[in-house]
Amino acid sequence: MKRFAPIALALLLCLLPTTIMAQGLGGDLFQGIEGFDDFGGSQSNPDLKLSAKFVVDPSGTHGRVDITATVGSGWCVYSTTQPKGGPMATKLKVEEDPGVTAVGEFTADHKPKIVPPDKIIRVAQEKFYEKVTWSAPILLAPGTKAEDLKLKVKLNGQSCHDKGTCVPVSADAVAMFDGKQEVPKPENLLPEKATTPGGAIPPADYKIQGTPGDYSTEGGHGVLSGKFEPTKVEPGDEITVTLSFKPKGNYHVYAYSPTDSTIGYKSTQIALAEVTPWLATQAKTQNPVIEKALIEGFPAVRYHDGETTWKFTVQVPIDAVPGKYPLVGYVGYQTCTDTTCDRPSGAMFEGVVQVGEKGKDESSPFAFSAAKYTKAAERAKITHAEVQDAQGDNGDALIAPPGPEDPPQRNVMAPPAPLSDDIQWKVLNPPETASLGWIIVLSFIGGAILNLMPCVLPVVGLKILSFVNQAGKHRGQVFMLNLIYSLGVIFVFMVLAVVSSSLNWIVGAFNPGDGTAGGADGLAWGQWSGDWRYILAMIILVYTMGLSMLGVWELTMPSFLGSGSVASASNKSGYGGAFFKGIVTTLLSTPCSGPFLGPVFGYTISQETYVTFIVFGSIGLGMASPYLIIGMNPRLIAFLPKPGNWMVAFKQLMGFVMMLTVVYLMYTMPDEYVVPTLTLLVGLGAGCWMLGQVHTLEHKSSKIATTVGAFVVAIGIGYFAYNNLIEGDAHEGSIAWDTYAEERWPALENDIYARQQAGETVMVDFTADWCPTCKVNYYTAINTDGVGEVVNAHGIVPMLVDWTNTTHDNSPRVQKFINKLGSNSIPLLAIFPGGKAGEVYVLSDLLTESKVIESLNAAQQEAGSMPKQTAMKE
């Protein structure tokens, strides 16, 4: 009568991973399908063909590999940079070969066709039709003969037809040598020069690249200058470095920070270059720091007004060999006003120090040249900054790591040690962990508690009495029958341990790690406790089991366990019958013990295999303990608690304990998944309630319909919650922004112009994480309900250009576009009237909502009367 409940539970556990996987794909189970006409028709073969070749630079040190893919008419493949949440991006791979030491990133020979997001596919699609060639730089091993080299290449991805058919594709090819050709040297693939270990670097003739004297910053809103003294030192001496920044107009520079850890703006970074691996103190300044909170809830910005001078010292190693040494470093800076910001930039300062005999205290100016802000930030991470930051007020003290044999000496300076993963650490105060004995005790107590369940406790006394009668009150035989019965109980729990360990292995197989932490296929023990999907599975398991303990529904066993060969085996007398009685009785007690065992399954997934067997073995021993204890002295059966309503109350109390566990698990969920998970629990509660009503129905068809309906309700509500209620990123609101990532920056200007020609008005917000005024504008004047109403009412296209990564190869395209709009910095809001190609309204600095709305309305009035059309057609 209740046999459908376990089947339904199994279906739920099988379907839930599918739902979760759909979430991981952005919730779109039909990704890449652009239309439904002729869906599943004759267009089913993209006719993908792959060819490859490679050329080698005349130097013989490097080259380029070209991979060409062709598809049939109407078919396309997607770019290697296709955004997640839509079609599968194309993945290209060059198989390992001893002749090739490194392979760079693949770039296409032409731009993909961009299809804007729509209601079905919520990310832009980047398509290549007919033919595309991807190229990547390669480094060749010394002595490699290009003529003998054969590179195996692979392509994996997805191909779609314009009529809607989509298929996964893969292909292999062999790249053959195609001659010698001049190829740009792939500087990003070349290994960095290693510093010489020990206390000193060999002196070298260093060629100054910059120009001595003042240096105008990239935005033109400040001047950098600097000097060092003395220019001639003895080994072990200190060199004082002075760097000054003089702003122009009302611009300022942000305060120094040891590392690039600020939010909303870029702090000043100062660090020595690789060619000067000496130790330095942190930079200090007498100019006070001004703190100003621009947005409530966001960290305050810290900056200096007026001219700012930083000083720090550099320690010359005491074992430095006489000679000339380069004193080279980087300054990362950002110049802003209260309303506008230049992009973060940097400069390299250079000088030459003569180590030998000490000379006069003369100073020498640094030579400056342009550099990247990220270069200064990267060097700050791996040089002195973090070490010195730990010194607090004593930040000027120099610290040198002692050698492996020499004791620490205050006057011996060594360059920073190279990064290594082989360092061994001895923990002096290891954390206290639960001992194996304590785990056994807790598991044993948990198993003993299972005997107090309503469907277990009455069986205990009856089974022991049956063994007493069967043995004719012979104490030794009574004990043996109880012992064999207990082995049957423990056997069931050992089988459960095998099942739980198999689940652990399956989880590891579907989520391979890096192999560094052990576990199945590299799955680190316990790492799932930090995965929101694992937490969600635990919440579902504990919540549904808690509802079962509260009486909302019942977990039943299939009826075949109580009849047939299983039942006949357990009804036999003797030791064999006692063993099978232990098995069957334990299985039949699942409706009560299941709610306890369910969370145990979840817990043991994140534990090692031996812990799993210990936990289940101890639970089985605990559940069998009454039989073993009373088997030794049958008179103790009189002390067993009498069955009654108290057992039901105890079971329901444990149900509330399970609900408290759900509360704790909800606390560990990421914030964006809390509301969807709470909504899912409502669906699970309704589904479990429907399952609880199945036994009250008379007709078999009604029971089946109710059971199926329970899962439809639970899964449907869960699917809705995780597709529509997940909290989005900070750019979401009443405006559906089309965010332009770095790869789309080159196409930005053409896209806007095309949309203007098509009669569409376009609003573009240029922003960046390092621009605090941009954040103020975004939250208070641009991404507001009022602006959203105007945008949606007039069909204005909102675009967001996140210029945070100014080091990207496409960053100059953004800078050039901004310059063409008559500006040199951000924040910048540009509004392009539809039908007026080449015309634009530009709003900069600090904005108000009313100003933005006024400009949008003005642009809309300027828009031509021509009907709107899609700027980019299929």
Side-chain angles (χ1 to χ4, degrees):
M1 185 174 181
K2 302 177 182 178
R3 60 182 179 273
F4 294 106
I7 298 176
L9 178 61
L11 287 173
L12 174 63
L13 295 177
C14 291
L15 290 175
L16 278 174
T18 304
T19 306
I20 297 173
M21 288 174 64
Q23 296 301 325
L25 295 172
D28 189 357
L29 296 179
F30 302 96
Q31 294 176 8
I33 298 179
E34 303 162 9
F36 295 97
D37 52 324
D38 195 30
F39 180 68
S42 59
Q43 302 293 341
S44 59
N45 182 13
D47 194 23
L48 172 69
K49 296 180 180 178
L50 196 70
S51 61
K53 63 180 182 179
F54 71 92
V55 295
V56 175
D57 187 85
S59 65
T61 60
H62 61 282
R64 186 188 71 243
V65 60
D66 301 324
I67 301 177
T68 301
T70 60
V71 290
S73 177
W75 288 89
C76 72
V77 291
Y78 293 89
S79 70
T80 57
T81 58
Q82 170 64 43
K84 294 182 179 180
M88 295 170 55
T90 298
K91 295 183 178 180
L92 302 169
K93 181 180 180 181
V94 177
E95 295 293 326
E96 292 185 1
D97 189 283
V100 176
T101 59
V103 179
E105 294 184 356
F106 281 93
T107 56
D109 60 344
H110 64 278
K111 297 178 182 179
K113 178 179 180 181
I114 306 296
V115 180
D118 53 35
K119 293 183 179 179
I120 298 177
I121 302 178
R122 301 180 180 180
V123 298
Q125 300 178 69
E126 301 177 0
K127 299 180 176 182
F128 288 107
Y129 285 89
E130 297 182 0
K131 181 180 179 180
V132 59
T133 298
W134 287 282
S135 302
I138 56 175
L139 288 182
L140 302 180
T144 299
K145 293 183 178 180
E147 297 80 2
D148 299 335
L149 192 61
K150 297 180 180 180
L151 300 179
K152 295 181 180 179
V153 300
K154 288 187 176 182
L155 179 148
N156 287 288
Q158 177 180 345
S159 181
C160 290
H161 194 274
D162 287 343
K163 292 187 176 181
T165 304
C166 291
V167 294
V169 292
S170 61
D172 299 337
V174 176
M176 306 295 291
F177 177 58
D178 195 43
K180 294 186 177 181
Q181 178 181 328
E182 289 191 4
V183 179
K185 199 170 185 179
E187 298 291 342
N188 60 324
L189 296 184
L190 298 177
E192 294 185 2
K193 295 181 180 179
T195 57
T196 304
I201 59 173
D205 294 330
Y206 180 83
K207 185 177 181 180
I208 299 292
Q209 303 178 34
T211 303
D214 294 345
Y215 172 78
S216 180
T217 60
E218 182 176 323
H221 298 126
V223 175
L224 271 172
S225 60
K227 63 179 182 178
F228 63 98
E229 58 183 336
T231 58
K232 295 181 179 181
V233 295
E234 294 180 348
D237 285 348
E238 288 185 349
I239 303 170
T240 300
V241 174
T242 303
L243 297 173
S244 297
F245 174 85
K246 187 175 182 179
K248 293 183 179 180
N250 57 349
Y251 276 80
H252 56 246
V253 68
Y254 289 108
Y256 168 81
S257 175
T259 56
D260 181 22
S261 57
T262 53
I263 299 175
Y265 67 97
K266 290 297 185 180
S267 60
T268 298
Q269 300 283 285
I270 300 176
L272 295 180
E274 298 91 333
V275 295
T276 308
W278 296 344
L279 289 182
T281 58
Q282 287 188 26
K284 302 287 185 179
T285 182
Q286 300 296 322
N287 196 5
V289 175
I290 300 174
E291 295 192 6
K292 180 182 292 187
L294 299 180
I295 306 177
E296 184 177 354
F298 281 72
V301 296
R302 305 176 74 250
Y303 62 91
H304 298 291
D305 261 346
E307 185 173 358
T308 303
T309 298
W310 294 278
K311 288 187 177 183
F312 63 95
T313 58
V314 178
Q315 183 74 44
V316 180
I318 197 170
D319 56 349
V321 179
K324 293 183 178 181
Y325 290 82
L327 179 58
V328 183
Y330 298 98
V331 179
Y333 61 88
Q334 184 183 8
T335 51
C336 290
T337 67
D338 289 340
T339 58
T340 187
C341 282
D342 294 327
R343 66 175 181 175
S345 190
M348 179 171 68
F349 56 89
E350 303 168 285
V352 175
V353 176
Q354 177 72 48
V355 176
E357 295 183 0
K358 190 169 184 177
K360 298 179 180 180
D361 292 337
E362 297 178 346
S363 63
S364 177
F366 281 119
F368 287 89
S369 58
K372 299 288 188 181
Y373 177 91
T374 52
K375 186 63 178 179
E378 289 171 1
R379 288 301 301 166
K381 287 181 181 179
I382 60 177
T383 54
H384 66 279
E386 293 182 357
V387 176
Q388 299 300 325
D389 190 42
Q391 303 308 306
D393 295 335
N394 194 26
D396 288 330
L398 285 166
I399 298 178
E405 299 177 356
D406 301 328
Q409 299 181 30
R410 296 293 295 178
N411 59 345
V412 178
M413 297 296 128
L419 298 178
S420 173
D421 293 328
D422 299 325
I423 300 176
Q424 301 295 323
W425 297 94
K426 179 181 179 181
V427 180
L428 301 179
N429 57 333
E432 297 181 2
T433 57
S435 64
L436 186 60
W438 184 238
I439 293 177
I440 294 174
V441 170
L442 293 178
S443 302
F444 181 89
I445 295 174
I449 291 176
L450 293 179
N451 289 294
L452 300 178
M453 293 295 100
C455 50
V456 178
L457 182 61
V459 178
V460 178
L462 294 176
K463 289 299 179 183
I464 294 176
L465 285 176
S466 68
F467 292 150
V468 172
N469 294 330
Q470 181 180 332
K473 298 183 180 180
H474 188 277
R475 180 170 296 181
Q477 191 174 2
V478 171
F479 175 76
M480 288 303 299
L481 287 170
N482 279 278
L483 177 61
I484 299 300
Y485 179 91
S486 300
L487 292 178
V489 174
I490 297 174
F491 174 81
V492 174
F493 283 92
M494 289 294 98
V495 173
L496 293 177
V498 173
V499 173
S500 181
S501 299
S502 300
L503 290 176
N504 199 350
W505 179 85
I506 293 172
V507 168
F510 279 95
N511 190 61
D514 59 4
T516 61
D521 289 336
L523 179 67
W525 298 113
Q527 75 178 57
W528 279 92
S529 299
D531 191 314
W532 71 269
R533 291 164 294 188
Y534 170 79
I535 299 172
L536 176 63
M538 287 294 296
I539 289 174
I540 293 171
L541 189 61
V542 175
Y543 181 73
T544 53
M545 294 298 100
L547 292 179
S548 175
M549 300 184 75
L550 291 172
V552 176
W553 69 295
E554 290 184 358
L555 177 65
T556 60
M557 293 299 294
S559 57
F560 69 82
L561 285 174
S563 61
S565 58
V566 177
S568 61
S570 63
N571 287 331
K572 293 181 180 180
S573 59
Y575 296 138
F579 182 81
F580 278 98
K581 279 186 175 71
I583 294 176
V584 175
T585 302
T586 306
L587 293 176
L588 293 177
S589 67
T590 303
C592 289
S593 59
F596 279 101
L597 296 180
V600 173
F601 270 104
Y603 165 75
T604 53
I605 285 179
S606 59
Q607 302 300 315
E608 297 191 52
T609 303
Y610 81 92
V611 176
T612 300
F613 278 88
I614 288 175
V615 169
F616 277 100
S618 301
I619 292 174
L621 186 62
M623 190 172 183
S625 58
Y627 301 97
L628 296 174
I629 295 173
I630 299 177
M632 291 185 291
N633 188 355
R635 295 179 181 179
L636 295 177
I637 196 173
F639 294 93
L640 285 177
K642 304 299 180 184
N645 291 331
W646 70 269
M647 296 187 302
V648 178
F650 180 80
K651 176 183 175 183
Q652 293 173 346
L653 177 62
M654 293 297 101
F656 286 106
V657 173
M658 304 283 272
M659 294 303 162
L660 287 175
T661 304
V662 173
V663 173
Y664 167 74
L665 292 172
M666 287 295 301
Y667 177 77
T668 64
M669 281 287 280
D671 293 342
E672 62 267 28
Y673 296 111
V674 171
V675 173
T677 304
L678 290 174
T679 307
L680 171 63
L681 294 186
V682 175
L684 290 174
C688 289
W689 175 80
M690 294 174 67
L691 289 177
Q693 306 304 309
V694 170
H695 71 279
T696 64
L697 302 175
E698 297 180 358
H699 300 291
K700 183 177 181 180
S701 59
S702 299
K703 293 181 179 181
I704 295 176
T706 303
T707 301
V708 173
F711 289 103
V712 171
V713 169
I715 297 175
I717 293 178
Y719 186 81
F720 167 81
Y722 276 83
N723 271 279
N724 299 278
L725 302 181
I726 295 180
E727 181 180 341
D729 60 24
H731 294 318
E732 290 190 358
S734 59
I735 301 176
W737 293 97
D738 180 10
T739 302
Y740 268 64
E742 292 92 337
E743 293 76 13
R744 299 178 63 191
W745 288 347
L748 174 63
E749 191 172 358
N750 290 330
D751 289 352
I752 295 173
Y753 194 83
R755 288 185 180 276
Q756 272 193 296
Q757 287 182 318
E760 295 180 317
T761 298
V762 182
M763 176 179 69
V764 183
D765 180 22
F766 294 87
T767 184
D769 289 344
W770 42 261
C771 174
T773 313
C774 297
K775 301 300 182 183
V776 175
N777 284 346
Y778 183 84
Y779 288 109
T780 62
I782 301 175
N783 196 47
T784 64
D785 293 338
V787 174
E789 290 179 2
V790 177
V791 168
N792 296 328
H794 297 294
I796 297 173
V797 179
M799 294 182 179
L800 190 143
V801 180
D802 188 347
W803 198 25
T804 299
N805 185 7
T806 60
T807 63
H808 194 276
D809 292 341
N810 293 332
S811 177
R813 303 294 293 268
V814 179
Q815 180 70 69
K816 183 178 180 181
F817 190 18
I818 291 176
N819 293 341
K820 292 172 70 174
L821 297 179
S823 182
N824 192 44
S825 59
I826 59 174
L828 183 70
L829 184 70
I831 303 172
F832 302 84
K836 301 288 185 178
E839 298 182 6
V840 59
Y841 288 88
V842 177
L843 305 178
S844 59
D845 300 336
L846 201 59
L847 303 178
T848 61
E849 183 185 42
S850 60
K851 180 64 175 177
V852 174
I853 294 176
E854 178 185 347
S855 300
L856 287 173
N857 290 330
Q860 193 61 26
Q861 291 177 1
E862 287 289 329
S865 58
M866 60 181 294
K868 291 185 179 181
Q869 54 184 314
T870 304
M872 297 180 183
K873 293 184 178 180
E874 288 287 352

